[in-house]
Structure formats: C-alpha cells, structure tokens
C-alpha cells in the first residue's frame, strides 16, 4: 500500500465507501483493492485510517439462505446414497467405486 490517495475524514470523493458502509448496503468489495484511504488526525497519536473501496466494483453479498442450506444438505445427502443398494452410508460414495464400499466388496467376492 502507500500508493493510494489519502483523503481527509468526511471528504471522501463520491463513489467510494468503507467496508462497513459497503456491508450496510448489502455489498462487499469487488476484487480486493483498496482504492483510497481516509485519515482522521488524532492528537498525539497516529491518525485514524479507514480504507475505501470503489462502489462501482462492489458486489452484492449473497448470504446463505435457509433454502440454500437445505439444497446443499440435500445435495450432500444424495452423494452419500449408494446407487446399488440405495442406503445412506453416512459417507460420500467414492466415485472410483460408483457404489458403497459394502456393495463393491460383495461384488468383488462374487466375482
Ligand atoms: Zn451399496
């Protein structure tokens, strides 16, 4: 850092926002770049610094909704179900076997 413009507190140009201001709008910094910083002088101390992000580059925060969690849980559950015996084995069916270990074992024994 050190190459970004520094503005006095409350004099940030339009189109820039701090991380907290972005979150308040339901946004997050797009990319990772701090485009400017604000400094508030403090008596006998280092100035207070706030990093500013571009509002144009900001992206909406996509929180996990209950429906998304449910869909994820369902997808994970489906990956635990053996296509051969139809049991939820409690672990993800190995793609190398294409079925649960028990089914793969019994087929190996039968062969
Ligand atoms: Zn099975």
């Amino acid at each position: 850092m050190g190459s970004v413009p520094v503005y006095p507190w409350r004099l940030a140009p339009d189109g820039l926002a701090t991380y907290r201001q972005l979150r308040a709008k339901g946004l997050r910094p797009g990319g990772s770049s701090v485009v400017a910083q604000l400094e508030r002088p403090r008596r006998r101390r280092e100035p207070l610094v706030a990093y500013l992000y571009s509002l144009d580059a900001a992206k909406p925060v996509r929180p996990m909704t209950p429906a998304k969690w449910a869909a994820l849980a369902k997808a994970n559950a489906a990956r635990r179900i053996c296509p051969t015996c139809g049991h939820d084995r409690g672990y993800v069916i190995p793609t190398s076997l294409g079925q649960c270990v028990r089914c793969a074992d019994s087929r190996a024994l039968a062969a």
Side-chain angles (χ1 to χ4, degrees):
M1 221 162 293
S3 59
V4 299
V6 176
Y7 297 99
W9 210 260
R10 294 183 202 285
L11 289 177
D14 287 342
L16 301 183
T18 64
Y19 186 79
R20 287 178 69 171
Q21 287 168 340
L22 287 179
R23 291 310 292 239
K25 294 174 196 286
L27 299 170
R28 61 186 166 85
S32 58
S33 51
V34 170
V35 294
Q37 66 186 54
L38 285 180
E39 278 189 9
R40 179 157 70 183
R42 292 188 296 183
R43 215 182 296 174
R44 286 195 288 272
R45 277 194 290 171
E46 289 291 301
L48 206 58
V49 172
Y51 299 110
L52 294 172
Y53 301 90
S54 165
L55 272 173
D56 284 341
K59 295 190 167 59
V61 175
R62 286 190 205 85
M64 286 295 284
T65 61
K68 283 187 181 178
W69 282 116
L72 190 67
K74 202 174 162 187
N76 283 335
R79 293 169 65 211
R80 296 197 308 263
I81 293 169
C82 171
T84 304
C85 64
H87 285 113
D88 182 343
R89 288 304 183 193
Y91 56 84
V92 174
I93 301 303
T95 51
S96 56
L97 298 177
Q99 53 194 344
C100 72
V101 173
R102 198 175 297 183
C103 287
D105 279 348
S106 63
R107 202 168 69 169
L109 285 175

